Amino acid sequence: MTYENLLVEIENGTAIVTINRPKAMNALNEKTLIELQDAFVNFTADDVIQVIIITGSGEKAFVAGADIAAMQPLTALEARQFAKLGHQVMRHIEACPKPVIAAINGFALGGGCELALGCDIRVAAENARFGQPEVNLGVIPGFGGTQRLARLIGKGRAMELIFTGDMIDAVEAYRIGLANKIVPLDQLLDTSKKMAETIINKGPHAVRLAKEAIRNGLELDLERANQYEAELFGLCFATTDQKEGMLAFLEKRQAKFKGK
Ligand code: DAK
């Protein structure tokens, strides 16, 4: 996979996608969004890839937002189109059956924070800074920030971040549940890769069905969500991984999952 604004490496079942526009702090322009979407279509279809890590190039920024220079002259209709493209990309990431980890190496602002929110897990480097500063520019978050941030950290905290445009550091992001963990910058990728490896060693179907259960279940009331979980739990028993996983436990050995 070769792209203009993305670097993609595949390592032991993990795809590492680096957003590579360092001169613009890895800001998301149309081209980058289209490339991200294309990359996720490929990751979803590629059986070799089991986990995806998204990070930014350099040491200063994960993604400093949607590209302000590209957005400034947009008409209302063009802006709507741009927002729709951003939403589509976040949906591709969220709906990707494979877990997606954001490795946040610096500023994750505006569209960058929204990209991190579209991922399943957020690992923050000590220099990570999060924020939804769109109100400083006279707009609101346009790639799902008003919705996903509130769902993740709660309405009150999301409103505070979005209304003030304040930036928060990694410690505060961890405290409010925006970051899953904080690590030194030089350990960010290794930690994320180790987490990917841990996940890869589990039953792939189980991990994917768990993602589906959490993601779709959160949109349902508890009763229906639990019924949905029961259906997916039942489905696990159609896989050889379930037979192997339980047999391995009973035989006191490591399971050898085949993803079948
Ligand atoms: N877009 C374009 N260029 C950016 C950028 C961005 N978001 N962020 C930084 N850059 C560029 C800077 O312009 C500068 O370029 P040159 O001047 O060197 O050519 C270069 O990156 C380095 O930035 P600084 O010189 O500013 O570096 P500092 O270390 O001093 O500051 C910073 C770093 C990240 C704190 C600062 O650059 C900054 O505040 N950046 C903007 C952050 C921001 O406001 N992000 C939110 C963007 S708005 C919607 C669709 C989408 C959205 C909203 C609505 N609809 C269509 C409805 C989403 C909006 C956003 O994400």
Side-chain angles (χ1 to χ4, degrees), residues 1-21:
M1 282 175 245
T2 311
Y3 297 108
E4 191 177 305
N5 297 329
L6 302 181
L7 303 171
V8 178
E9 291 164 81
I10 317 284
E11 240 179 66
N12 307 321
T14 301
I16 301 146
V17 190
T18 305
I19 304 193
N20 188 33
R21 296 188 71 218

Side-chain angles (χ1 to χ4, degrees), residues 117-215:
L117 288 167
C119 297
D120 302 317
I121 296 167
R122 283 150 292 281
V123 181
E126 284 166 348
N127 71 336
R129 297 286 178 277
F130 296 80
Q132 296 287 165
E134 286 87 347
V135 288
N136 295 327
L137 304 165
V139 293
I140 66 169
F143 296 160
T146 58
Q147 305 310 307
R148 290 195 183 90
L149 189 63
R151 281 167 169 76
L152 185 67
I153 66 171
K155 179 176 146 194
R157 288 196 166 112
M159 285 193 169
E160 183 184 341
L161 276 176
I162 291 171
F163 295 170
T164 63
D166 281 349
M167 248 188 251
I168 56 169
D169 64 14
V171 173
E172 178 64 0
Y174 177 72
R175 192 184 73 80
I176 64 176
L178 181 48
N180 290 64
K181 60 167 72 186
I182 309 173
V183 295
L185 179 60
D186 63 1
Q187 290 168 30
L188 179 67
L189 262 192
D190 275 353
T191 305
S192 305
K193 284 181 195 172
K194 270 189 202 126
M195 191 185 273
E197 201 182 306
T198 301
I199 296 170
I200 287 171
N201 286 330
K202 312 298 171 193
H205 284 298
V207 170
R208 289 172 201 182
L209 289 171
K211 174 166 174 174
E212 209 175 313
I214 295 168
R215 196 174 80 83

Side-chain angles (χ1 to χ4, degrees), residues 13 28-29 49 51 53 71 101 128 136 188 209-210 236 238 240 255:
L28 300 173
N29 59 4
I49 295 167
V51 175
I53 296 173
M71 277 191 299
I101 301 170
N136 295 327
L188 179 67
L209 289 171
C236 294
T240 54

Side-chain angles (χ1 to χ4, degrees), residues 65-84:
D67 190 317
I68 300 169
M71 277 191 299
Q72 196 278 336
L74 295 185
T75 64
L77 286 180
E78 288 166 343
R80 185 173 70 169
Q81 202 48 41
F82 186 60
K84 278 190 177 169

